[in-house]
Each structure stands twice: as C-alpha cells, then as structure tokens.
Amino acid sequence: MYRYFSSHFVIPVLGHDDPGSSRGGRYSYTDLGHLFEKWLPPDAIGTFNKGGYYTFDQKKSKVRLVALNTNLFSNNPLNSKEELEAQWKWFETIMTKSEKNNERVFIIGHMAPGADEKQFDALPSFSEKYSTKYLRLIRKHAAIIVGQFFGHLHSDTFRIVYDDNKPVSWMMMAPSVSPRRIPIGNNNPGIRIYKYDTVTGAVLDFSQYYLDLSEANAKNEAVWQLEYNLTSYYGLNELSPRSLHELAQSFTLSNSLLFE
C-alpha cells in the first residue's frame, strides 16, 4: 500500500482475521503500530498501541476520523474487558469533544452492529450490550456524524440508524477485494470510491467497481469495471439518512423496479 499510494494517507483498521486482532497471537498492537507510523500521527499511534484504535483531525476542514477496533465489541470470549472498556470510554470522550468543537466525524471500523442479511441465523457481529451502547451513542451525536464505513460482510449493503422512527444516520458496507467467503461461496472483488466535500466532510456519492472473475480467468487479464454510481443508478438527489430510508422503503413495495 505504501509503495502504490506513497503520496496518500492509508487509514488502517483491524479486521477479525488480521495479525494482532486477538489476544495471544504472534503480533501485538505495538508490532502493527510500527508498520503504520508512516501514515498516522504520534497521538494516533499511541492509542493504537494500547488497543488498536485511534483518531486524528484535519484542522483546516474540521473533519475528524475515528477508527475503531470493532473486534473488541464482538462476541469473542477472548476479548479483554479492560481493553474493551478503555476503548469505549475513549470513544465517548472523543465524540463529546468533537460535538463541543463543532467537528464533523467519519467513523470507520471492520464490523458493524446488526445481523448479516446473508446468514440470518448467525449471531450479530457486535455483542448485544455493545450494539445497544453503540447505537445509543450514534443517536446522541448524529448531528456531527457525516459517515460510518464498515466491511466484514463481503457484500454491498447499507444500514440506517433511527431515533424515534426518524432516520438520523447511515452505515455503508463495501464489498471485499477478497473473492472468497465461507460458507456463502465466492463473490467478485469490489472496490469503492467515495465522493465527499473536503471542507464539510459531507459524503456526496460513491462509485462501485468490480472485477469479473470469470472473464478475468478466461482472458487471463484483470479488467475493473464500473458497476454503478449510487445517486444516478437509484435516482437519489443526495446521500442522506432520509434518502436511504426512502430507498429502502421502496424495496418493500410490490413490483418495485428499484428492488429488481
């Protein structure tokens, strides 16, 4: 990543299969922190070395990025209660300060709260306790959160957070570069490019690209193609909790063209 994106920031987050993601492994948070020092400022490396999470801001635009170690919120019995509580206290403090300073916040992590729509009999990624706490915090600070970005499910989907039946925030889950997911089977690799306002942080749109594996194997050549652009494909005027709520509601209508 450093070789090909030498002039860009790379924002690393820990997935559940990454080195250093679980206790007793070969790598520690500090081992990984050394690898990320080329991208992250010292304060961010300091908290990453403690628990795999960090934050930094872009002072000119007042946009803050909060990177969570969502492994600590999962149902994994090996999770350290001390590390979990430390991250949670830190997260609450950061969000309170951001609201006080009138910052706009991007939240990124590997796993999102909620169930997997592909495996509806599987346990949700977050424990029930921390799913509840997380959603309560998102509702509390929804006015300053301009985006939540996750992966983990290897699928292209989104979630909406409601407060008293009003849509107040959204979560985007991008598909994976990895083509393999057990037990569901294979998927074409995907890469997503977001368009956002660099001053306000407002997310305006995204374009989803994919690699057709069958075609690539047949031609022995990888050709990435545009799959769709969110606003034009679904006829949205903006990317907001309200617009995504209305889109999701349209899927439930009989003979929904958008669902098809």
mmCIF file of all heavy atoms in Angstrom, residues 119-153:
data_model
loop_
_atom_site.group_PDB
_atom_site.id
_atom_site.type_symbol
_atom_site.label_atom_id
_atom_site.label_comp_id
_atom_site.label_asym_id
_atom_site.label_seq_id
_atom_site.Cartn_x
_atom_site.Cartn_y
_atom_site.Cartn_z
ATOM 1 N N GLN A 119 -26.825 -14.386 6.228
ATOM 2 C CA GLN A 119 -26.892 -15.514 7.165
ATOM 3 C C GLN A 119 -27.758 -15.090 8.349
ATOM 4 O O GLN A 119 -27.259 -14.709 9.396
ATOM 5 C CB GLN A 119 -25.497 -15.894 7.666
ATOM 6 C CG GLN A 119 -24.541 -16.319 6.578
ATOM 7 C CD GLN A 119 -23.221 -16.775 7.158
ATOM 8 O OE1 GLN A 119 -23.073 -17.910 7.624
ATOM 9 N NE2 GLN A 119 -22.221 -15.897 7.135
ATOM 10 N N PHE A 120 -29.056 -15.140 8.159
ATOM 11 C CA PHE A 120 -29.957 -14.582 9.160
ATOM 12 C C PHE A 120 -30.045 -15.419 10.430
ATOM 13 O O PHE A 120 -30.666 -15.006 11.402
ATOM 14 C CB PHE A 120 -31.354 -14.360 8.577
ATOM 15 C CG PHE A 120 -31.813 -15.431 7.626
ATOM 16 C CD1 PHE A 120 -32.327 -16.616 8.079
ATOM 17 C CD2 PHE A 120 -31.691 -15.231 6.252
ATOM 18 C CE1 PHE A 120 -32.745 -17.592 7.198
ATOM 19 C CE2 PHE A 120 -32.103 -16.208 5.363
ATOM 20 C CZ PHE A 120 -32.637 -17.397 5.838
ATOM 21 N N ASP A 121 -29.427 -16.614 10.431
ATOM 22 C CA ASP A 121 -29.406 -17.414 11.653
ATOM 23 C C ASP A 121 -28.093 -17.249 12.416
ATOM 24 O O ASP A 121 -27.897 -17.860 13.462
ATOM 25 C CB ASP A 121 -29.630 -18.894 11.334
ATOM 26 C CG ASP A 121 -28.603 -19.446 10.356
ATOM 27 O OD1 ASP A 121 -27.932 -18.637 9.687
ATOM 28 O OD2 ASP A 121 -28.482 -20.680 10.273
ATOM 29 N N ALA A 122 -27.173 -16.404 11.902
ATOM 30 C CA ALA A 122 -25.879 -16.201 12.545
ATOM 31 C C ALA A 122 -25.987 -15.111 13.607
ATOM 32 O O ALA A 122 -26.859 -14.231 13.543
ATOM 33 C CB ALA A 122 -24.830 -15.809 11.517
ATOM 34 N N LEU A 123 -25.098 -15.171 14.592
ATOM 35 C CA LEU A 123 -25.062 -14.133 15.617
ATOM 36 C C LEU A 123 -24.646 -12.802 14.999
ATOM 37 O O LEU A 123 -23.806 -12.764 14.091
ATOM 38 C CB LEU A 123 -24.069 -14.500 16.717
ATOM 39 C CG LEU A 123 -24.491 -15.563 17.729
ATOM 40 C CD1 LEU A 123 -23.315 -15.896 18.641
ATOM 41 C CD2 LEU A 123 -25.676 -15.077 18.556
ATOM 42 N N PRO A 124 -25.194 -11.677 15.472
ATOM 43 C CA PRO A 124 -24.710 -10.367 15.026
ATOM 44 C C PRO A 124 -23.235 -10.201 15.355
ATOM 45 O O PRO A 124 -22.694 -10.862 16.237
ATOM 46 C CB PRO A 124 -25.578 -9.387 15.817
ATOM 47 C CG PRO A 124 -26.799 -10.159 16.197
ATOM 48 C CD PRO A 124 -26.330 -11.568 16.393
ATOM 49 N N SER A 125 -22.578 -9.279 14.638
ATOM 50 C CA SER A 125 -21.143 -9.076 14.827
ATOM 51 C C SER A 125 -20.820 -8.518 16.203
ATOM 52 O O SER A 125 -19.861 -8.919 16.847
ATOM 53 C CB SER A 125 -20.613 -8.125 13.754
ATOM 54 O OG SER A 125 -20.844 -8.641 12.468
ATOM 55 N N PHE A 126 -21.629 -7.546 16.683
ATOM 56 C CA PHE A 126 -21.407 -6.950 17.993
ATOM 57 C C PHE A 126 -22.137 -7.765 19.058
ATOM 58 O O PHE A 126 -23.180 -8.364 18.792
ATOM 59 C CB PHE A 126 -21.968 -5.528 18.043
ATOM 60 C CG PHE A 126 -21.086 -4.471 17.435
ATOM 61 C CD1 PHE A 126 -20.186 -4.769 16.421
ATOM 62 C CD2 PHE A 126 -21.175 -3.155 17.853
ATOM 63 C CE1 PHE A 126 -19.395 -3.789 15.850
ATOM 64 C CE2 PHE A 126 -20.388 -2.165 17.288
ATOM 65 C CZ PHE A 126 -19.497 -2.484 16.287
ATOM 66 N N SER A 127 -21.609 -7.752 20.274
ATOM 67 C CA SER A 127 -22.378 -8.298 21.387
ATOM 68 C C SER A 127 -23.609 -7.418 21.585
ATOM 69 O O SER A 127 -23.625 -6.236 21.212
ATOM 70 C CB SER A 127 -21.538 -8.302 22.668
ATOM 71 O OG SER A 127 -21.295 -6.978 23.117
ATOM 72 N N GLU A 128 -24.647 -7.979 22.179
ATOM 73 C CA GLU A 128 -25.890 -7.219 22.362
ATOM 74 C C GLU A 128 -25.653 -5.952 23.187
ATOM 75 O O GLU A 128 -26.173 -4.870 22.876
ATOM 76 C CB GLU A 128 -26.935 -8.098 23.040
ATOM 77 C CG GLU A 128 -28.286 -7.422 23.181
ATOM 78 C CD GLU A 128 -29.353 -8.345 23.746
ATOM 79 O OE1 GLU A 128 -29.062 -9.545 23.910
ATOM 80 O OE2 GLU A 128 -30.453 -7.858 24.027
ATOM 81 N N LYS A 129 -24.836 -6.073 24.224
ATOM 82 C CA LYS A 129 -24.567 -4.931 25.098
ATOM 83 C C LYS A 129 -23.933 -3.781 24.331
ATOM 84 O O LYS A 129 -24.383 -2.623 24.425
ATOM 85 C CB LYS A 129 -23.650 -5.357 26.245
ATOM 86 C CG LYS A 129 -23.218 -4.211 27.144
ATOM 87 C CD LYS A 129 -22.262 -4.694 28.231
ATOM 88 C CE LYS A 129 -21.778 -3.531 29.086
ATOM 89 N NZ LYS A 129 -20.827 -3.989 30.154
ATOM 90 N N TYR A 130 -22.915 -4.082 23.540
ATOM 91 C CA TYR A 130 -22.195 -3.009 22.860
ATOM 92 C C TYR A 130 -22.868 -2.566 21.573
ATOM 93 O O TYR A 130 -22.648 -1.442 21.110
ATOM 94 C CB TYR A 130 -20.733 -3.396 22.665
ATOM 95 C CG TYR A 130 -19.993 -3.184 23.961
ATOM 96 C CD1 TYR A 130 -19.837 -4.230 24.862
ATOM 97 C CD2 TYR A 130 -19.549 -1.933 24.330
ATOM 98 C CE1 TYR A 130 -19.211 -4.027 26.088
ATOM 99 C CE2 TYR A 130 -18.930 -1.717 25.549
ATOM 100 C CZ TYR A 130 -18.771 -2.764 26.431
ATOM 101 O OH TYR A 130 -18.175 -2.546 27.639
ATOM 102 N N SER A 131 -23.716 -3.378 21.012
ATOM 103 C CA SER A 131 -24.559 -2.923 19.919
ATOM 104 C C SER A 131 -25.514 -1.849 20.428
ATOM 105 O O SER A 131 -25.683 -0.789 19.800
ATOM 106 C CB SER A 131 -25.345 -4.090 19.323
ATOM 107 O OG SER A 131 -26.183 -3.651 18.269
ATOM 108 N N THR A 132 -26.119 -2.098 21.581
ATOM 109 C CA THR A 132 -27.039 -1.132 22.182
ATOM 110 C C THR A 132 -26.318 0.165 22.534
ATOM 111 O O THR A 132 -26.797 1.267 22.237
ATOM 112 C CB THR A 132 -27.689 -1.730 23.441
ATOM 113 O OG1 THR A 132 -28.421 -2.908 23.071
ATOM 114 C CG2 THR A 132 -28.637 -0.735 24.101
ATOM 115 N N LYS A 133 -25.141 0.036 23.161
ATOM 116 C CA LYS A 133 -24.369 1.210 23.546
ATOM 117 C C LYS A 133 -23.924 2.010 22.318
ATOM 118 O O LYS A 133 -23.972 3.247 22.313
ATOM 119 C CB LYS A 133 -23.139 0.787 24.375
ATOM 120 C CG LYS A 133 -23.465 0.360 25.790
ATOM 121 C CD LYS A 133 -22.269 -0.296 26.466
ATOM 122 C CE LYS A 133 -21.174 0.691 26.816
ATOM 123 N NZ LYS A 133 -21.521 1.513 28.007
ATOM 124 N N TYR A 134 -23.500 1.298 21.288
ATOM 125 C CA TYR A 134 -23.030 1.964 20.072
ATOM 126 C C TYR A 134 -24.162 2.762 19.423
ATOM 127 O O TYR A 134 -23.994 3.938 19.077
ATOM 128 C CB TYR A 134 -22.468 0.938 19.096
ATOM 129 C CG TYR A 134 -21.914 1.549 17.833
ATOM 130 C CD1 TYR A 134 -20.598 2.000 17.772
ATOM 131 C CD2 TYR A 134 -22.707 1.707 16.704
ATOM 132 C CE1 TYR A 134 -20.083 2.582 16.625
ATOM 133 C CE2 TYR A 134 -22.211 2.280 15.556
ATOM 134 C CZ TYR A 134 -20.901 2.722 15.518
ATOM 135 O OH TYR A 134 -20.413 3.301 14.372
ATOM 136 N N LEU A 135 -25.314 2.136 19.253
ATOM 137 C CA LEU A 135 -26.429 2.815 18.596
ATOM 138 C C LEU A 135 -26.916 3.995 19.420
ATOM 139 O O LEU A 135 -27.313 5.040 18.875
ATOM 140 C CB LEU A 135 -27.565 1.829 18.337
ATOM 141 C CG LEU A 135 -27.240 0.735 17.312
ATOM 142 C CD1 LEU A 135 -28.381 -0.272 17.225
ATOM 143 C CD2 LEU A 135 -26.961 1.334 15.946
ATOM 144 N N ARG A 136 -26.893 3.853 20.747
ATOM 145 C CA ARG A 136 -27.289 4.965 21.612
ATOM 146 C C ARG A 136 -26.340 6.153 21.415
ATOM 147 O O ARG A 136 -26.777 7.303 21.350
ATOM 148 C CB ARG A 136 -27.284 4.513 23.079
ATOM 149 C CG ARG A 136 -27.838 5.550 24.048
ATOM 150 C CD ARG A 136 -27.761 5.030 25.479
ATOM 151 N NE ARG A 136 -28.605 3.844 25.642
ATOM 152 C CZ ARG A 136 -28.211 2.734 26.262
ATOM 153 N NH1 ARG A 136 -26.989 2.637 26.759
ATOM 154 N NH2 ARG A 136 -29.044 1.719 26.382
ATOM 155 N N LEU A 137 -25.048 5.866 21.284
ATOM 156 C CA LEU A 137 -24.069 6.938 21.092
ATOM 157 C C LEU A 137 -24.245 7.596 19.720
ATOM 158 O O LEU A 137 -24.118 8.817 19.587
ATOM 159 C CB LEU A 137 -22.655 6.387 21.255
ATOM 160 C CG LEU A 137 -21.512 7.404 21.200
ATOM 161 C CD1 LEU A 137 -20.430 7.040 22.209
ATOM 162 C CD2 LEU A 137 -20.911 7.475 19.807
ATOM 163 N N ILE A 138 -24.535 6.792 18.690
ATOM 164 C CA ILE A 138 -24.736 7.339 17.348
ATOM 165 C C ILE A 138 -25.949 8.266 17.341
ATOM 166 O O ILE A 138 -25.918 9.361 16.752
ATOM 167 C CB ILE A 138 -24.910 6.215 16.315
ATOM 168 C CG1 ILE A 138 -23.641 5.363 16.227
ATOM 169 C CG2 ILE A 138 -25.282 6.790 14.942
ATOM 170 C CD1 ILE A 138 -22.386 6.140 15.913
ATOM 171 N N ARG A 139 -27.022 7.859 17.997
ATOM 172 C CA ARG A 139 -28.206 8.724 18.067
ATOM 173 C C ARG A 139 -27.887 10.030 18.785
ATOM 174 O O ARG A 139 -28.337 11.104 18.369
ATOM 175 C CB ARG A 139 -29.345 7.986 18.781
ATOM 176 C CG ARG A 139 -29.882 6.789 18.013
ATOM 177 C CD ARG A 139 -31.037 6.132 18.732
ATOM 178 N NE ARG A 139 -31.479 4.942 18.017
ATOM 179 C CZ ARG A 139 -31.307 3.692 18.467
ATOM 180 N NH1 ARG A 139 -30.705 3.477 19.635
ATOM 181 N NH2 ARG A 139 -31.722 2.668 17.739
ATOM 182 N N LYS A 140 -27.111 9.939 19.834
ATOM 183 C CA LYS A 140 -26.770 11.121 20.628
ATOM 184 C C LYS A 140 -25.969 12.134 19.815
ATOM 185 O O LYS A 140 -26.174 13.347 19.941
ATOM 186 C CB LYS A 140 -25.974 10.691 21.869
ATOM 187 C CG LYS A 140 -25.567 11.832 22.773
ATOM 188 C CD LYS A 140 -24.795 11.305 23.986
ATOM 189 C CE LYS A 140 -24.353 12.449 24.887
ATOM 190 N NZ LYS A 140 -23.591 11.951 26.075
ATOM 191 N N HIS A 141 -25.053 11.640 18.968
ATOM 192 C CA HIS A 141 -24.149 12.523 18.237
ATOM 193 C C HIS A 141 -24.423 12.526 16.732
ATOM 194 O O HIS A 141 -23.545 12.904 15.947
ATOM 195 C CB HIS A 141 -22.707 12.099 18.494
ATOM 196 C CG HIS A 141 -22.291 12.191 19.925
ATOM 197 N ND1 HIS A 141 -22.082 13.391 20.571
ATOM 198 C CD2 HIS A 141 -22.061 11.217 20.853
ATOM 199 C CE1 HIS A 141 -21.718 13.171 21.829
ATOM 200 N NE2 HIS A 141 -21.703 11.865 22.028
ATOM 201 N N ALA A 142 -25.615 12.151 16.329
ATOM 202 C CA ALA A 142 -25.927 12.009 14.902
ATOM 203 C C ALA A 142 -25.698 13.305 14.128
ATOM 204 O O ALA A 142 -25.329 13.271 12.952
ATOM 205 C CB ALA A 142 -27.367 11.545 14.720
ATOM 206 N N ALA A 143 -25.872 14.449 14.780
ATOM 207 C CA ALA A 143 -25.760 15.729 14.078
ATOM 208 C C ALA A 143 -24.362 15.994 13.545
ATOM 209 O O ALA A 143 -24.193 16.733 12.564
ATOM 210 C CB ALA A 143 -26.187 16.869 15.009
ATOM 211 N N ILE A 144 -23.336 15.396 14.167
ATOM 212 C CA ILE A 144 -21.960 15.654 13.717
ATOM 213 C C ILE A 144 -21.369 14.490 12.931
ATOM 214 O O ILE A 144 -20.278 14.611 12.382
ATOM 215 C CB ILE A 144 -21.036 16.001 14.904
ATOM 216 C CG1 ILE A 144 -20.873 14.788 15.837
ATOM 217 C CG2 ILE A 144 -21.523 17.223 15.648
ATOM 218 C CD1 ILE A 144 -19.748 14.955 16.856
ATOM 219 N N ILE A 145 -22.056 13.362 12.863
ATOM 220 C CA ILE A 145 -21.531 12.189 12.153
ATOM 221 C C ILE A 145 -21.903 12.284 10.676
ATOM 222 O O ILE A 145 -23.077 12.270 10.318
ATOM 223 C CB ILE A 145 -22.075 10.892 12.759
ATOM 224 C CG1 ILE A 145 -21.626 10.755 14.218
ATOM 225 C CG2 ILE A 145 -21.605 9.679 11.952
ATOM 226 C CD1 ILE A 145 -22.290 9.610 14.968
ATOM 227 N N VAL A 146 -20.893 12.399 9.821
ATOM 228 C CA VAL A 146 -21.157 12.538 8.391
ATOM 229 C C VAL A 146 -20.955 11.232 7.629
ATOM 230 O O VAL A 146 -21.211 11.165 6.426
ATOM 231 C CB VAL A 146 -20.279 13.645 7.765
ATOM 232 C CG1 VAL A 146 -20.794 15.009 8.185
ATOM 233 C CG2 VAL A 146 -18.819 13.496 8.139
ATOM 234 N N GLY A 147 -20.530 10.175 8.312
ATOM 235 C CA GLY A 147 -20.390 8.894 7.641
ATOM 236 C C GLY A 147 -19.878 7.813 8.560
ATOM 237 O O GLY A 147 -19.053 8.080 9.439
ATOM 238 N N GLN A 148 -20.394 6.595 8.389
ATOM 239 C CA GLN A 148 -19.892 5.407 9.075
ATOM 240 C C GLN A 148 -19.590 4.366 8.006
ATOM 241 O O GLN A 148 -20.446 4.062 7.174
ATOM 242 C CB GLN A 148 -20.934 4.858 10.052
ATOM 243 C CG GLN A 148 -21.377 5.838 11.132
ATOM 244 C CD GLN A 148 -22.453 5.228 12.005
ATOM 245 O OE1 GLN A 148 -22.198 4.348 12.824
ATOM 246 N NE2 GLN A 148 -23.685 5.694 11.831
ATOM 247 N N PHE A 149 -18.381 3.818 8.058
ATOM 248 C CA PHE A 149 -17.919 2.946 6.984
ATOM 249 C C PHE A 149 -17.381 1.637 7.557
ATOM 250 O O PHE A 149 -16.512 1.648 8.436
ATOM 251 C CB PHE A 149 -16.812 3.646 6.187
ATOM 252 C CG PHE A 149 -17.208 4.994 5.680
ATOM 253 C CD1 PHE A 149 -16.923 6.132 6.418
ATOM 254 C CD2 PHE A 149 -17.883 5.137 4.480
ATOM 255 C CE1 PHE A 149 -17.286 7.392 5.968
ATOM 256 C CE2 PHE A 149 -18.261 6.391 4.016
ATOM 257 C CZ PHE A 149 -17.964 7.516 4.761
ATOM 258 N N PHE A 150 -17.896 0.519 7.048
ATOM 259 C CA PHE A 150 -17.518 -0.805 7.550
ATOM 260 C C PHE A 150 -17.347 -1.781 6.386
ATOM 261 O O PHE A 150 -17.644 -1.468 5.231
ATOM 262 C CB PHE A 150 -18.599 -1.333 8.508
ATOM 263 C CG PHE A 150 -18.836 -0.474 9.711
ATOM 264 C CD1 PHE A 150 -19.835 0.480 9.722
ATOM 265 C CD2 PHE A 150 -18.040 -0.611 10.847
ATOM 266 C CE1 PHE A 150 -20.061 1.285 10.829
ATOM 267 C CE2 PHE A 150 -18.249 0.178 11.953
ATOM 268 C CZ PHE A 150 -19.256 1.133 11.945
ATOM 269 N N GLY A 151 -16.881 -2.977 6.712
ATOM 270 C CA GLY A 151 -16.733 -4.044 5.731
ATOM 271 C C GLY A 151 -17.258 -5.345 6.321
ATOM 272 O O GLY A 151 -18.415 -5.460 6.669
ATOM 273 N N HIS A 152 -16.386 -6.343 6.423
ATOM 274 C CA HIS A 152 -16.623 -7.609 7.130
ATOM 275 C C HIS A 152 -17.563 -8.566 6.404
ATOM 276 O O HIS A 152 -17.282 -9.759 6.325
ATOM 277 C CB HIS A 152 -17.145 -7.335 8.542
ATOM 278 C CG HIS A 152 -17.379 -8.571 9.360
ATOM 279 N ND1 HIS A 152 -16.374 -9.471 9.643
ATOM 280 C CD2 HIS A 152 -18.505 -9.073 9.952
ATOM 281 C CE1 HIS A 152 -16.866 -10.455 10.379
ATOM 282 N NE2 HIS A 152 -18.139 -10.245 10.569
ATOM 283 N N LEU A 153 -18.689 -8.087 5.893
ATOM 284 C CA LEU A 153 -19.695 -8.985 5.329
ATOM 285 C C LEU A 153 -19.401 -9.402 3.896
ATOM 286 O O LEU A 153 -20.099 -10.253 3.350
ATOM 287 C CB LEU A 153 -21.081 -8.329 5.391
ATOM 288 C CG LEU A 153 -21.619 -8.029 6.788
ATOM 289 C CD1 LEU A 153 -23.016 -7.412 6.688
ATOM 290 C CD2 LEU A 153 -21.657 -9.290 7.643
#
